[in-house]
Amino acid sequence: MRAAEEMIEEPVATTEETTVTPVSGWRRWLDLWVLLGFLALAVLVTIQLWIDPNGRVLAGNDDDHGVFLAVLAHAERVIFDGANPFFNDRLNAPVGVNMMANTSILALSLPLAPVTHFLGAGVSVALLITLGLAGTAFAWYWVLSRHLVNSRLAAWIGGAWCGFAPTMVSHANGHVNFVNQYVVPFIVWQVLRLREPGRAVRGGVILGLLIVLQCFINEETLLFTALTLGVFVLAYAVMRPREVAAVWRRFTAGLAVAAVTAFVPLAYPLWYQFFGPGNYHGQPFAPSDYVTDLASLGFFARQSLAGYAALTRQMSVSSTEDNTFFGPAGLVMIVVAVVMLWRSAAARSAGIAGLVLLLMSMGPTLQVFGRDTGIPLPFGLISHVPVIDLVSVTRFAMVPATVAGVLLALAADRIRDYPQRRRRWFWTGMVLALVPLIPKPLPVVAGDPMPAFLSEGIWREYVPEDRTLVTVPLPEVTTGRTGMRWATLNNFDYATPRGYFMGPADAPRDRTGSWSAPARFTSDLLWRVREYGVVPVLTEADRRKITEDLVYWRTAVVLLVPEGRNVAAQRAVLVDALGEPQLVGGAEIWRVPPFE
């Protein structure tokens, strides 16, 4: 009845001694219905995107949606054109982008390259978000139901929470990498199994391969998992030193085998990420900019059924970073679960791990309702540690959200041993906790339609292979996203300068991480015109600088995006610098002659 405690707290037991109830035929049918239910819920969350995946953009974070369109378009080129999987020379031309340093999700994007090629990157994004949510929920359900609980209902609660918690639905607004977490429960389980006799080699190899797979899905999630397991093991060792002493040799031997197994295929990709062209260090923001607000623990996220966006915005900087927001009943039930499981050292260790990562997510000083209290927190001591400094701090809170799902599942399994009255109170609380967190469909907006010049391939007559197509506004973070989106929907058949990506601020002088390419005269000029609508009077020196930038970008054609902010002002600047445009395929273009 208490499979979770047996599996973790009896480390010398064999797998056969601790396996939960065998899976019967009707349970397999139940598993199928659970999977279909998770898929249905995931489709409900993404339904507005599925209506027109290539024509719509996720409103919660259209910039990051564009990033993953670019990632998938690059993978299509890898499979169909033989491009370098770790480097994209079609974005930020002529410099390019280090894809290993940009969450390239190669384990997902490469298998979906045929979908991207024939149906478009937008379809691949919608598919990955849908399968990511449902797959993560079912993966946790599978591990829980096979190894940690006997009740399928308890496993369903844990899976539903882990796959569709507010943090997961929040990241579904544009973070394809974070919603695909179905490898994580198997990594956790394989780590726990390393304590078993005879598992060091076989278990270590399996764990190492899972690490490789997760690394090519999302390194941040892998880091969070490693930190959580590290805190869990340390806490458990303090509580159960004799049990840990009996297994630590085979456990560490298994970890060593896993490390060697993972090192072989990951050595070069990770070298490329940290030392290859386009590498960077740190983030373009301070650790205190993106942190978890203490008040968010008891309120609701934007995409929860009971959510109220105006209130949520006071406690969260982005609709893709609502990483806690358990709701008042949800927070109470998490505490109830911890109390119910307190006698289990494993459950206490999991709770401690979740709490430590929650504290890390709050950053260097405590914030409450969007206000910095000035109260120092432990994260300030490690905020500049390498690798840690690459993480958006609030995302550490994804760990306690997942830990909460596991603890709720264990508590739901344990409640069957309680008196009927307590069971009624428990299930009433669970309903009050879960129903307000039911996710709403993700909001979308219509993307700017491509002119026939691009959609019908007319551009091929104007842009040679070694030249670029420059869209105005230029592709940048938060601005010019249309041009980058159009390039990705054409699977980067043409190269484009600049873009939204992570790279060095101004290499080689400054390798601090930046969300865009180093500024140039023309990019700054056009950004100001788009932003403020003021048309400057260009001098001959200005025109020479514009020409120099066009030469640097190897420009063949400049194309004005016909809709957007201050289009007339941008057009006036282009006419002043380049003359009158041609109208071709529904787009105004300026042809740039070859440069010697």
Side-chain angles (χ1 to χ4, degrees), residues 15-26:
T15 304
E16 291 74 18
E17 292 173 324
T18 56
T19 302
V20 297
T21 305
V23 181
S24 59
W26 73 268

Side-chain angles (χ1 to χ4, degrees), residues 36-54:
L36 293 176
F38 286 151
L39 280 172
L41 183 55
V43 170
L44 174 65
V45 171
T46 56
I47 187 62
Q48 296 192 86
L49 184 60
W50 274 114
I51 292 173
D52 185 7
N54 288 317

Side-chain angles (χ1 to χ4, degrees), residues 377-402:
L377 295 175
F379 184 78
L381 301 175
I382 61 170
S383 60
H384 298 294
V385 173
V387 179
I388 297 293
D389 66 352
L390 296 175
V391 176
S392 295
V393 178
T394 183
R395 294 175 185 169
F396 286 117
M398 297 186 77
V399 170
T402 300

Side-chain angles (χ1 to χ4, degrees), residues 434-489:
L434 296 180
V435 170
L437 299 183
I438 294 174
K440 296 180 289 190
L442 301 174
V444 299
V445 293
D448 292 331
M450 276 193 293
F453 181 78
L454 295 177
S455 62
E456 296 179 7
I458 300 172
W459 66 268
R460 297 179 188 277
E461 303 172 17
Y462 295 81
V463 184
E465 178 67 21
D466 60 345
R467 306 283 294 282
T468 68
L469 191 156
V470 176
T471 51
V472 176
L474 285 157
E476 306 278 3
V477 57
T478 72
T479 63
R481 59 182 67 92
T482 293
M484 181 169 163
R485 174 173 161 270
W486 286 351
T488 61
L489 292 177

